[in-house]
PDB file of all heavy atoms in Angstrom:
ATOM      1  N   PRO O   6       0.826  -1.216   0.000  1.00 97.00           N
ATOM      2  CA  PRO O   6       0.000   0.000   0.000  1.00 97.00           C
ATOM      3  C   PRO O   6       0.856   1.259   0.000  1.00 97.00           C
ATOM      4  O   PRO O   6       1.968   1.282   0.547  1.00 97.00           O
ATOM      5  CB  PRO O   6      -0.800  -0.119   1.305  1.00 97.00           C
ATOM      6  CG  PRO O   6      -0.795  -1.574   1.626  1.00 97.00           C
ATOM      7  CD  PRO O   6       0.528  -2.088   1.142  1.00 97.00           C
ATOM      8  N   THR O   7       0.327   2.298  -0.609  1.00 98.00           N
ATOM      9  CA  THR O   7       1.085   3.538  -0.658  1.00 98.00           C
ATOM     10  C   THR O   7       0.139   4.723  -0.737  1.00 98.00           C
ATOM     11  O   THR O   7      -1.080   4.577  -0.833  1.00 98.00           O
ATOM     12  CB  THR O   7       2.059   3.542  -1.855  1.00 98.00           C
ATOM     13  OG1 THR O   7       3.014   4.593  -1.692  1.00 98.00           O
ATOM     14  CG2 THR O   7       1.319   3.722  -3.168  1.00 98.00           C
ATOM     15  N   ASP O   8       0.720   5.913  -0.701  1.00 98.00           N
ATOM     16  CA  ASP O   8      -0.034   7.157  -0.811  1.00 98.00           C
ATOM     17  C   ASP O   8       0.803   8.107  -1.652  1.00 98.00           C
ATOM     18  O   ASP O   8       1.951   8.404  -1.304  1.00 98.00           O
ATOM     19  CB  ASP O   8      -0.294   7.758   0.579  1.00 98.00           C
ATOM     20  CG  ASP O   8      -1.308   8.884   0.529  1.00 98.00           C
ATOM     21  OD1 ASP O   8      -2.515   8.596   0.521  1.00 98.00           O
ATOM     22  OD2 ASP O   8      -0.879  10.053   0.494  1.00 98.00           O
ATOM     23  N   ALA O   9       0.248   8.566  -2.777  1.00 98.00           N
ATOM     24  CA  ALA O   9       1.041   9.368  -3.702  1.00 98.00           C
ATOM     25  C   ALA O   9       0.159  10.383  -4.412  1.00 98.00           C
ATOM     26  O   ALA O   9      -1.045  10.166  -4.604  1.00 98.00           O
ATOM     27  CB  ALA O   9       1.742   8.476  -4.725  1.00 98.00           C
ATOM     28  N   LEU O  10       0.777  11.459  -4.830  1.00 98.00           N
ATOM     29  CA  LEU O  10       0.111  12.497  -5.613  1.00 98.00           C
ATOM     30  C   LEU O  10       0.637  12.439  -7.043  1.00 98.00           C
ATOM     31  O   LEU O  10       1.842  12.554  -7.268  1.00 98.00           O
ATOM     32  CB  LEU O  10       0.380  13.877  -5.014  1.00 98.00           C
ATOM     33  CG  LEU O  10      -0.083  15.077  -5.846  1.00 98.00           C
ATOM     34  CD1 LEU O  10      -1.603  15.109  -5.955  1.00 98.00           C
ATOM     35  CD2 LEU O  10       0.444  16.385  -5.246  1.00 98.00           C
ATOM     36  N   LEU O  11      -0.259  12.240  -7.992  1.00 98.00           N
ATOM     37  CA  LEU O  11       0.086  12.366  -9.402  1.00 98.00           C
ATOM     38  C   LEU O  11      -0.310  13.766  -9.840  1.00 98.00           C
ATOM     39  O   LEU O  11      -1.501  14.096  -9.922  1.00 98.00           O
ATOM     40  CB  LEU O  11      -0.649  11.319 -10.242  1.00 98.00           C
ATOM     41  CG  LEU O  11      -0.379   9.838  -9.959  1.00 98.00           C
ATOM     42  CD1 LEU O  11      -1.176   8.962 -10.919  1.00 98.00           C
ATOM     43  CD2 LEU O  11       1.097   9.530 -10.061  1.00 98.00           C
ATOM     44  N   GLU O  12       0.685  14.581 -10.094  1.00 97.00           N
ATOM     45  CA  GLU O  12       0.402  15.956 -10.494  1.00 97.00           C
ATOM     46  C   GLU O  12      -0.199  15.996 -11.894  1.00 97.00           C
ATOM     47  O   GLU O  12      -0.120  15.032 -12.662  1.00 97.00           O
ATOM     48  CB  GLU O  12       1.699  16.778 -10.472  1.00 97.00           C
ATOM     49  CG  GLU O  12       2.236  17.063  -9.084  1.00 97.00           C
ATOM     50  CD  GLU O  12       1.510  18.207  -8.394  1.00 97.00           C
ATOM     51  OE1 GLU O  12       0.444  18.633  -8.902  1.00 97.00           O
ATOM     52  OE2 GLU O  12       2.008  18.671  -7.358  1.00 97.00           O
ATOM     53  N   GLU O  13      -0.785  17.115 -12.236  1.00 97.00           N
ATOM     54  CA  GLU O  13      -1.347  17.302 -13.568  1.00 97.00           C
ATOM     55  C   GLU O  13      -0.267  17.051 -14.625  1.00 97.00           C
ATOM     56  O   GLU O  13       0.858  17.550 -14.519  1.00 97.00           O
ATOM     57  CB  GLU O  13      -1.897  18.716 -13.698  1.00 97.00           C
ATOM     58  CG  GLU O  13      -2.529  19.019 -15.043  1.00 97.00           C
ATOM     59  CD  GLU O  13      -3.100  20.423 -15.094  1.00 97.00           C
ATOM     60  OE1 GLU O  13      -3.462  20.960 -14.018  1.00 97.00           O
ATOM     61  OE2 GLU O  13      -3.175  20.988 -16.200  1.00 97.00           O
ATOM     62  N   GLY O  14      -0.592  16.233 -15.610  1.00 98.00           N
ATOM     63  CA  GLY O  14       0.366  15.920 -16.665  1.00 98.00           C
ATOM     64  C   GLY O  14       1.213  14.701 -16.390  1.00 98.00           C
ATOM     65  O   GLY O  14       1.945  14.243 -17.274  1.00 98.00           O
ATOM     66  N   HIS O  15       1.135  14.137 -15.184  1.00 98.00           N
ATOM     67  CA  HIS O  15       1.879  12.921 -14.854  1.00 98.00           C
ATOM     68  C   HIS O  15       1.081  11.691 -15.281  1.00 98.00           C
ATOM     69  O   HIS O  15      -0.127  11.754 -15.500  1.00 98.00           O
ATOM     70  CB  HIS O  15       2.173  12.867 -13.360  1.00 98.00           C
ATOM     71  CG  HIS O  15       3.261  13.803 -12.936  1.00 98.00           C
ATOM     72  ND1 HIS O  15       4.331  13.414 -12.163  1.00 98.00           N
ATOM     73  CD2 HIS O  15       3.450  15.129 -13.194  1.00 98.00           C
ATOM     74  CE1 HIS O  15       5.129  14.448 -11.948  1.00 98.00           C
ATOM     75  NE2 HIS O  15       4.603  15.498 -12.555  1.00 98.00           N
ATOM     76  N   ARG O  16       1.786  10.568 -15.373  1.00 98.00           N
ATOM     77  CA  ARG O  16       1.172   9.319 -15.800  1.00 98.00           C
ATOM     78  C   ARG O  16       1.408   8.232 -14.754  1.00 98.00           C
ATOM     79  O   ARG O  16       2.401   8.271 -14.031  1.00 98.00           O
ATOM     80  CB  ARG O  16       1.764   8.851 -17.134  1.00 98.00           C
ATOM     81  CG  ARG O  16       1.598   9.837 -18.285  1.00 98.00           C
ATOM     82  CD  ARG O  16       2.458   9.427 -19.463  1.00 98.00           C
ATOM     83  NE  ARG O  16       2.439  10.399 -20.545  1.00 98.00           N
ATOM     84  CZ  ARG O  16       1.736  10.281 -21.671  1.00 98.00           C
ATOM     85  NH1 ARG O  16       1.006   9.177 -21.853  1.00 98.00           N
ATOM     86  NH2 ARG O  16       1.769  11.206 -22.601  1.00 98.00           N
ATOM     87  N   LEU O  17       0.510   7.263 -14.721  1.00 98.00           N
ATOM     88  CA  LEU O  17       0.677   6.083 -13.887  1.00 98.00           C
ATOM     89  C   LEU O  17       1.232   4.965 -14.764  1.00 98.00           C
ATOM     90  O   LEU O  17       0.741   4.741 -15.874  1.00 98.00           O
ATOM     91  CB  LEU O  17      -0.662   5.666 -13.288  1.00 98.00           C
ATOM     92  CG  LEU O  17      -0.626   4.481 -12.315  1.00 98.00           C
ATOM     93  CD1 LEU O  17       0.075   4.875 -11.018  1.00 98.00           C
ATOM     94  CD2 LEU O  17      -2.039   3.989 -12.022  1.00 98.00           C
ATOM     95  N   ARG O  18       2.260   4.277 -14.268  1.00 98.00           N
ATOM     96  CA  ARG O  18       2.877   3.197 -15.039  1.00 98.00           C
ATOM     97  C   ARG O  18       2.972   1.938 -14.191  1.00 98.00           C
ATOM     98  O   ARG O  18       3.313   1.997 -13.004  1.00 98.00           O
ATOM     99  CB  ARG O  18       4.265   3.601 -15.534  1.00 98.00           C
ATOM    100  CG  ARG O  18       5.043   2.463 -16.217  1.00 98.00           C
ATOM    101  CD  ARG O  18       6.374   2.943 -16.770  1.00 98.00           C
ATOM    102  NE  ARG O  18       6.166   3.864 -17.880  1.00 98.00           N
ATOM    103  CZ  ARG O  18       7.125   4.646 -18.386  1.00 98.00           C
ATOM    104  NH1 ARG O  18       8.346   4.615 -17.874  1.00 98.00           N
ATOM    105  NH2 ARG O  18       6.862   5.451 -19.395  1.00 98.00           N
ATOM    106  N   ILE O  19       2.694   0.789 -14.809  1.00 98.00           N
ATOM    107  CA  ILE O  19       2.923  -0.511 -14.202  1.00 98.00           C
ATOM    108  C   ILE O  19       4.075  -1.168 -14.956  1.00 98.00           C
ATOM    109  O   ILE O  19       3.983  -1.392 -16.164  1.00 98.00           O
ATOM    110  CB  ILE O  19       1.667  -1.407 -14.283  1.00 98.00           C
ATOM    111  CG1 ILE O  19       0.446  -0.690 -13.681  1.00 98.00           C
ATOM    112  CG2 ILE O  19       1.921  -2.726 -13.560  1.00 98.00           C
ATOM    113  CD1 ILE O  19       0.600  -0.287 -12.242  1.00 98.00           C
ATOM    114  N   ASP O  20       5.162  -1.434 -14.251  1.00 98.00           N
ATOM    115  CA  ASP O  20       6.301  -2.151 -14.825  1.00 98.00           C
ATOM    116  C   ASP O  20       6.224  -3.614 -14.405  1.00 98.00           C
ATOM    117  O   ASP O  20       6.047  -3.912 -13.217  1.00 98.00           O
ATOM    118  CB  ASP O  20       7.629  -1.565 -14.338  1.00 98.00           C
ATOM    119  CG  ASP O  20       7.971  -0.252 -15.020  1.00 98.00           C
ATOM    120  OD1 ASP O  20       7.440   0.001 -16.120  1.00 98.00           O
ATOM    121  OD2 ASP O  20       8.771   0.518 -14.451  1.00 98.00           O
ATOM    122  N   VAL O  21       6.380  -4.514 -15.353  1.00 98.00           N
ATOM    123  CA  VAL O  21       6.337  -5.953 -15.088  1.00 98.00           C
ATOM    124  C   VAL O  21       7.690  -6.545 -15.462  1.00 98.00           C
ATOM    125  O   VAL O  21       8.183  -6.334 -16.578  1.00 98.00           O
ATOM    126  CB  VAL O  21       5.217  -6.637 -15.884  1.00 98.00           C
ATOM    127  CG1 VAL O  21       5.156  -8.125 -15.541  1.00 98.00           C
ATOM    128  CG2 VAL O  21       3.874  -5.967 -15.609  1.00 98.00           C
ATOM    129  N   TYR O  22       8.287  -7.303 -14.519  1.00 98.00           N
ATOM    130  CA  TYR O  22       9.611  -7.891 -14.723  1.00 98.00           C
ATOM    131  C   TYR O  22       9.580  -9.392 -14.465  1.00 98.00           C
ATOM    132  O   TYR O  22       8.731  -9.895 -13.722  1.00 98.00           O
ATOM    133  CB  TYR O  22      10.629  -7.272 -13.755  1.00 98.00           C
ATOM    134  CG  TYR O  22      10.817  -5.787 -13.861  1.00 98.00           C
ATOM    135  CD1 TYR O  22      10.142  -4.910 -13.007  1.00 98.00           C
ATOM    136  CD2 TYR O  22      11.683  -5.246 -14.804  1.00 98.00           C
ATOM    137  CE1 TYR O  22      10.323  -3.543 -13.090  1.00 98.00           C
ATOM    138  CE2 TYR O  22      11.875  -3.870 -14.893  1.00 98.00           C
ATOM    139  CZ  TYR O  22      11.188  -3.022 -14.040  1.00 98.00           C
ATOM    140  OH  TYR O  22      11.372  -1.664 -14.121  1.00 98.00           O
ATOM    141  N   ALA O  23      10.556 -10.073 -15.034  1.00 98.00           N
ATOM    142  CA  ALA O  23      10.798 -11.477 -14.695  1.00 98.00           C
ATOM    143  C   ALA O  23      11.843 -11.501 -13.585  1.00 98.00           C
ATOM    144  O   ALA O  23      12.997 -11.850 -13.796  1.00 98.00           O
ATOM    145  CB  ALA O  23      11.274 -12.247 -15.923  1.00 98.00           C
ATOM    146  N   GLY O  24      11.446 -11.086 -12.391  1.00 95.00           N
ATOM    147  CA  GLY O  24      12.363 -11.053 -11.250  1.00 95.00           C
ATOM    148  C   GLY O  24      13.034  -9.708 -11.101  1.00 95.00           C
ATOM    149  O   GLY O  24      12.989  -8.851 -11.989  1.00 95.00           O
ATOM    150  N   SER O  25      13.675  -9.525  -9.951  1.00 96.00           N
ATOM    151  CA  SER O  25      14.425  -8.306  -9.667  1.00 96.00           C
ATOM    152  C   SER O  25      15.484  -8.640  -8.632  1.00 96.00           C
ATOM    153  O   SER O  25      15.246  -8.577  -7.431  1.00 96.00           O
ATOM    154  CB  SER O  25      13.499  -7.197  -9.152  1.00 96.00           C
ATOM    155  OG  SER O  25      14.224  -6.007  -8.912  1.00 96.00           O
ATOM    156  N   VAL O  26      16.662  -9.002  -9.107  1.00 95.00           N
ATOM    157  CA  VAL O  26      17.786  -9.359  -8.233  1.00 95.00           C
ATOM    158  C   VAL O  26      18.431  -8.068  -7.730  1.00 95.00           C
ATOM    159  O   VAL O  26      18.646  -7.137  -8.505  1.00 95.00           O
ATOM    160  CB  VAL O  26      18.818 -10.196  -9.034  1.00 95.00           C
ATOM    161  CG1 VAL O  26      20.059 -10.486  -8.204  1.00 95.00           C
ATOM    162  CG2 VAL O  26      18.177 -11.484  -9.518  1.00 95.00           C
ATOM    163  N   PRO O  27      18.752  -7.950  -6.420  1.00 95.00           N
ATOM    164  CA  PRO O  27      18.702  -8.968  -5.366  1.00 95.00           C
ATOM    165  C   PRO O  27      17.513  -8.828  -4.416  1.00 95.00           C
ATOM    166  O   PRO O  27      17.470  -9.518  -3.415  1.00 95.00           O
ATOM    167  CB  PRO O  27      19.995  -8.698  -4.612  1.00 95.00           C
ATOM    168  CG  PRO O  27      20.101  -7.201  -4.635  1.00 95.00           C
ATOM    169  CD  PRO O  27      19.550  -6.777  -5.979  1.00 95.00           C
ATOM    170  N   ARG O  28      16.581  -7.924  -4.740  1.00 95.00           N
ATOM    171  CA  ARG O  28      15.451  -7.771  -3.828  1.00 95.00           C
ATOM    172  C   ARG O  28      14.627  -9.051  -3.782  1.00 95.00           C
ATOM    173  O   ARG O  28      14.170  -9.470  -2.724  1.00 95.00           O
ATOM    174  CB  ARG O  28      14.575  -6.601  -4.255  1.00 95.00           C
ATOM    175  CG  ARG O  28      13.390  -6.401  -3.316  1.00 95.00           C
ATOM    176  CD  ARG O  28      12.561  -5.194  -3.660  1.00 95.00           C
ATOM    177  NE  ARG O  28      11.420  -5.072  -2.774  1.00 95.00           N
ATOM    178  CZ  ARG O  28      10.483  -4.135  -2.882  1.00 95.00           C
ATOM    179  NH1 ARG O  28      10.568  -3.235  -3.845  1.00 95.00           N
ATOM    180  NH2 ARG O  28       9.480  -4.095  -2.040  1.00 95.00           N
ATOM    181  N   TYR O  29      14.409  -9.641  -4.948  1.00 96.00           N
ATOM    182  CA  TYR O  29      13.661 -10.895  -5.006  1.00 96.00           C
ATOM    183  C   TYR O  29      14.554 -11.961  -5.623  1.00 96.00           C
ATOM    184  O   TYR O  29      14.917 -11.880  -6.802  1.00 96.00           O
ATOM    185  CB  TYR O  29      12.395 -10.729  -5.850  1.00 96.00           C
ATOM    186  CG  TYR O  29      11.481  -9.632  -5.364  1.00 96.00           C
ATOM    187  CD1 TYR O  29      11.276  -8.490  -6.123  1.00 96.00           C
ATOM    188  CD2 TYR O  29      10.823  -9.734  -4.147  1.00 96.00           C
ATOM    189  CE1 TYR O  29      10.434  -7.483  -5.689  1.00 96.00           C
ATOM    190  CE2 TYR O  29       9.983  -8.727  -3.700  1.00 96.00           C
ATOM    191  CZ  TYR O  29       9.795  -7.605  -4.474  1.00 96.00           C
ATOM    192  OH  TYR O  29       8.960  -6.602  -4.038  1.00 96.00           O
ATOM    193  N   LEU O  30      14.899 -12.973  -4.827  1.00 94.00           N
ATOM    194  CA  LEU O  30      15.724 -14.075  -5.289  1.00 94.00           C
ATOM    195  C   LEU O  30      14.852 -15.323  -5.429  1.00 94.00           C
ATOM    196  O   LEU O  30      13.703 -15.348  -4.994  1.00 94.00           O
ATOM    197  CB  LEU O  30      16.858 -14.345  -4.300  1.00 94.00           C
ATOM    198  CG  LEU O  30      17.769 -13.158  -3.974  1.00 94.00           C
ATOM    199  CD1 LEU O  30      18.774 -13.549  -2.906  1.00 94.00           C
ATOM    200  CD2 LEU O  30      18.484 -12.664  -5.223  1.00 94.00           C
ATOM    201  N   ALA O  31      15.406 -16.357  -6.013  1.00 95.00           N
ATOM    202  CA  ALA O  31      14.709 -17.640  -6.106  1.00 95.00           C
ATOM    203  C   ALA O  31      15.638 -18.721  -5.587  1.00 95.00           C
ATOM    204  O   ALA O  31      16.868 -18.590  -5.669  1.00 95.00           O
ATOM    205  CB  ALA O  31      14.319 -17.925  -7.553  1.00 95.00           C
ATOM    206  N   THR O  32      15.058 -19.775  -5.024  1.00 94.00           N
ATOM    207  CA  THR O  32      15.892 -20.917  -4.656  1.00 94.00           C
ATOM    208  C   THR O  32      16.471 -21.499  -5.949  1.00 94.00           C
ATOM    209  O   THR O  32      15.921 -21.305  -7.045  1.00 94.00           O
ATOM    210  CB  THR O  32      15.084 -21.986  -3.921  1.00 94.00           C
ATOM    211  OG1 THR O  32      14.113 -22.543  -4.817  1.00 94.00           O
ATOM    212  CG2 THR O  32      14.377 -21.389  -2.701  1.00 94.00           C
ATOM    213  N   LEU O  33      17.575 -22.231  -5.824  1.00 96.00           N
ATOM    214  CA  LEU O  33      18.203 -22.789  -7.021  1.00 96.00           C
ATOM    215  C   LEU O  33      17.270 -23.724  -7.789  1.00 96.00           C
ATOM    216  O   LEU O  33      17.204 -23.654  -9.024  1.00 96.00           O
ATOM    217  CB  LEU O  33      19.505 -23.492  -6.635  1.00 96.00           C
ATOM    218  CG  LEU O  33      20.610 -22.579  -6.077  1.00 96.00           C
ATOM    219  CD1 LEU O  33      21.874 -23.383  -5.815  1.00 96.00           C
ATOM    220  CD2 LEU O  33      20.894 -21.423  -7.026  1.00 96.00           C
ATOM    221  N   PRO O  34      16.513 -24.614  -7.107  1.00 96.00           N
ATOM    222  CA  PRO O  34      15.564 -25.452  -7.864  1.00 96.00           C
ATOM    223  C   PRO O  34      14.489 -24.637  -8.578  1.00 96.00           C
ATOM    224  O   PRO O  34      14.130 -24.945  -9.720  1.00 96.00           O
ATOM    225  CB  PRO O  34      14.967 -26.365  -6.791  1.00 96.00           C
ATOM    226  CG  PRO O  34      16.007 -26.422  -5.721  1.00 96.00           C
ATOM    227  CD  PRO O  34      16.598 -25.050  -5.698  1.00 96.00           C
ATOM    228  N   ASP O  35      13.963 -23.604  -7.920  1.00 96.00           N
ATOM    229  CA  ASP O  35      12.945 -22.773  -8.564  1.00 96.00           C
ATOM    230  C   ASP O  35      13.530 -22.051  -9.775  1.00 96.00           C
ATOM    231  O   ASP O  35      12.883 -21.929 -10.819  1.00 96.00           O
ATOM    232  CB  ASP O  35      12.376 -21.761  -7.575  1.00 96.00           C
ATOM    233  CG  ASP O  35      11.359 -22.372  -6.625  1.00 96.00           C
ATOM    234  OD1 ASP O  35      10.820 -23.443  -6.956  1.00 96.00           O
ATOM    235  OD2 ASP O  35      11.125 -21.788  -5.548  1.00 96.00           O
ATOM    236  N   LEU O  36      14.752 -21.538  -9.622  1.00 97.00           N
ATOM    237  CA  LEU O  36      15.399 -20.853 -10.740  1.00 97.00           C
ATOM    238  C   LEU O  36      15.601 -21.812 -11.907  1.00 97.00           C
ATOM    239  O   LEU O  36      15.375 -21.445 -13.074  1.00 97.00           O
ATOM    240  CB  LEU O  36      16.740 -20.278 -10.284  1.00 97.00           C
ATOM    241  CG  LEU O  36      17.477 -19.404 -11.302  1.00 97.00           C
ATOM    242  CD1 LEU O  36      16.649 -18.175 -11.656  1.00 97.00           C
ATOM    243  CD2 LEU O  36      18.848 -18.979 -10.755  1.00 97.00           C
ATOM    244  N   ALA O  37      16.014 -23.046 -11.601  1.00 97.00           N
ATOM    245  CA  ALA O  37      16.194 -24.040 -12.662  1.00 97.00           C
ATOM    246  C   ALA O  37      14.870 -24.337 -13.361  1.00 97.00           C
ATOM    247  O   ALA O  37      14.830 -24.536 -14.590  1.00 97.00           O
ATOM    248  CB  ALA O  37      16.788 -25.317 -12.081  1.00 97.00           C
ATOM    249  N   ARG O  38      13.773 -24.348 -12.584  1.00 97.00           N
ATOM    250  CA  ARG O  38      12.468 -24.654 -13.186  1.00 97.00           C
ATOM    251  C   ARG O  38      11.995 -23.554 -14.138  1.00 97.00           C
ATOM    252  O   ARG O  38      11.160 -23.804 -15.009  1.00 97.00           O
ATOM    253  CB  ARG O  38      11.427 -24.894 -12.089  1.00 97.00           C
ATOM    254  CG  ARG O  38      11.495 -26.303 -11.490  1.00 97.00           C
ATOM    255  CD  ARG O  38      10.297 -26.594 -10.600  1.00 97.00           C
ATOM    256  NE  ARG O  38      10.418 -25.960  -9.304  1.00 97.00           N
ATOM    257  CZ  ARG O  38      10.988 -26.526  -8.245  1.00 97.00           C
ATOM    258  NH1 ARG O  38      11.501 -27.750  -8.344  1.00 97.00           N
ATOM    259  NH2 ARG O  38      11.059 -25.894  -7.090  1.00 97.00           N
ATOM    260  N   THR O  39      12.503 -22.350 -13.973  1.00 97.00           N
ATOM    261  CA  THR O  39      12.139 -21.287 -14.927  1.00 97.00           C
ATOM    262  C   THR O  39      12.790 -21.500 -16.284  1.00 97.00           C
ATOM    263  O   THR O  39      12.367 -20.909 -17.286  1.00 97.00           O
ATOM    264  CB  THR O  39      12.554 -19.904 -14.405  1.00 97.00           C
ATOM    265  OG1 THR O  39      13.985 -19.788 -14.412  1.00 97.00           O
ATOM    266  CG2 THR O  39      12.012 -19.636 -13.012  1.00 97.00           C
ATOM    267  N   ARG O  40      13.868 -22.303 -16.321  1.00 96.00           N
ATOM    268  CA  ARG O  40      14.678 -22.545 -17.527  1.00 96.00           C
ATOM    269  C   ARG O  40      15.276 -21.257 -18.070  1.00 96.00           C
ATOM    270  O   ARG O  40      15.753 -21.209 -19.214  1.00 96.00           O
ATOM    271  CB  ARG O  40      13.841 -23.211 -18.628  1.00 96.00           C
ATOM    272  CG  ARG O  40      13.221 -24.551 -18.244  1.00 96.00           C
ATOM    273  CD  ARG O  40      12.410 -25.122 -19.404  1.00 96.00           C
ATOM    274  NE  ARG O  40      11.713 -26.357 -19.013  1.00 96.00           N
ATOM    275  CZ  ARG O  40      10.849 -26.995 -19.802  1.00 96.00           C
ATOM    276  NH1 ARG O  40      10.570 -26.516 -21.016  1.00 96.00           N
ATOM    277  NH2 ARG O  40      10.256 -28.110 -19.389  1.00 96.00           N
ATOM    278  N   LEU O  41      15.212 -20.186 -17.251  1.00 96.00           N
ATOM    279  CA  LEU O  41      15.670 -18.856 -17.679  1.00 96.00           C
ATOM    280  C   LEU O  41      15.018 -18.484 -19.007  1.00 96.00           C
ATOM    281  O   LEU O  41      15.594 -17.780 -19.835  1.00 96.00           O
ATOM    282  CB  LEU O  41      17.190 -18.805 -17.790  1.00 96.00           C
ATOM    283  CG  LEU O  41      17.969 -19.111 -16.512  1.00 96.00           C
ATOM    284  CD1 LEU O  41      19.465 -19.017 -16.762  1.00 96.00           C
ATOM    285  CD2 LEU O  41      17.560 -18.177 -15.383  1.00 96.00           C
ATOM    286  N   GLY O  42      13.811 -18.975 -19.183  1.00 97.00           N
ATOM    287  CA  GLY O  42      13.126 -18.802 -20.464  1.00 97.00           C
ATOM    288  C   GLY O  42      12.245 -17.573 -20.514  1.00 97.00           C
ATOM    289  O   GLY O  42      12.152 -16.777 -19.574  1.00 97.00           O
ATOM    290  N   ARG O  43      11.549 -17.441 -21.614  1.00 97.00           N
ATOM    291  CA  ARG O  43      10.698 -16.284 -21.860  1.00 97.00           C
ATOM    292  C   ARG O  43       9.459 -16.335 -20.974  1.00 97.00           C
ATOM    293  O   ARG O  43       8.896 -17.402 -20.731  1.00 97.00           O
ATOM    294  CB  ARG O  43      10.274 -16.282 -23.327  1.00 97.00           C
ATOM    295  CG  ARG O  43       9.745 -14.943 -23.802  1.00 97.00           C
ATOM    296  CD  ARG O  43       9.471 -14.982 -25.287  1.00 97.00           C
ATOM    297  NE  ARG O  43       8.200 -15.648 -25.581  1.00 97.00           N
ATOM    298  CZ  ARG O  43       7.681 -15.742 -26.792  1.00 97.00           C
ATOM    299  NH1 ARG O  43       8.328 -15.247 -27.825  1.00 97.00           N
ATOM    300  NH2 ARG O  43       6.512 -16.352 -26.977  1.00 97.00           N
ATOM    301  N   GLN O  44       9.053 -15.174 -20.514  1.00 98.00           N
ATOM    302  CA  GLN O  44       7.805 -15.012 -19.770  1.00 98.00           C
ATOM    303  C   GLN O  44       6.943 -13.990 -20.493  1.00 98.00           C
ATOM    304  O   GLN O  44       7.412 -12.902 -20.842  1.00 98.00           O
ATOM    305  CB  GLN O  44       8.078 -14.575 -18.324  1.00 98.00           C
ATOM    306  CG  GLN O  44       8.848 -15.607 -17.513  1.00 98.00           C
ATOM    307  CD  GLN O  44       9.080 -15.206 -16.064  1.00 98.00           C
ATOM    308  OE1 GLN O  44       9.903 -15.815 -15.388  1.00 98.00           O
ATOM    309  NE2 GLN O  44       8.365 -14.203 -15.562  1.00 98.00           N
TER     310      GLN O  44
END
């Protein structure tokens, strides 16, 4: 949850990633199961 002001002329953006190292890591088996492939 957050609280923010979007000023006039600003835009809201949703960024989608396949992970974000090092904030979000995966166990080695989970990483292997991704096959480092396309999402």
Side-chain angles (χ1 to χ4, degrees):
T7 195
D8 192 82
L10 171 66
L11 298 181
E12 289 281 12
E13 181 178 334
H15 285 230
R16 301 168 185 258
L17 184 70
R18 173 176 292 166
I19 306 301
D20 284 338
V21 183
Y22 301 97
S25 182
V26 175
R28 181 176 178 183
Y29 303 113
L30 304 176
T32 66
L33 295 183
D35 282 340
L36 186 62
R38 280 191 283 270
T39 69
R40 301 180 185 174
L41 301 180
R43 197 175 79 176
Q44 296 182 194

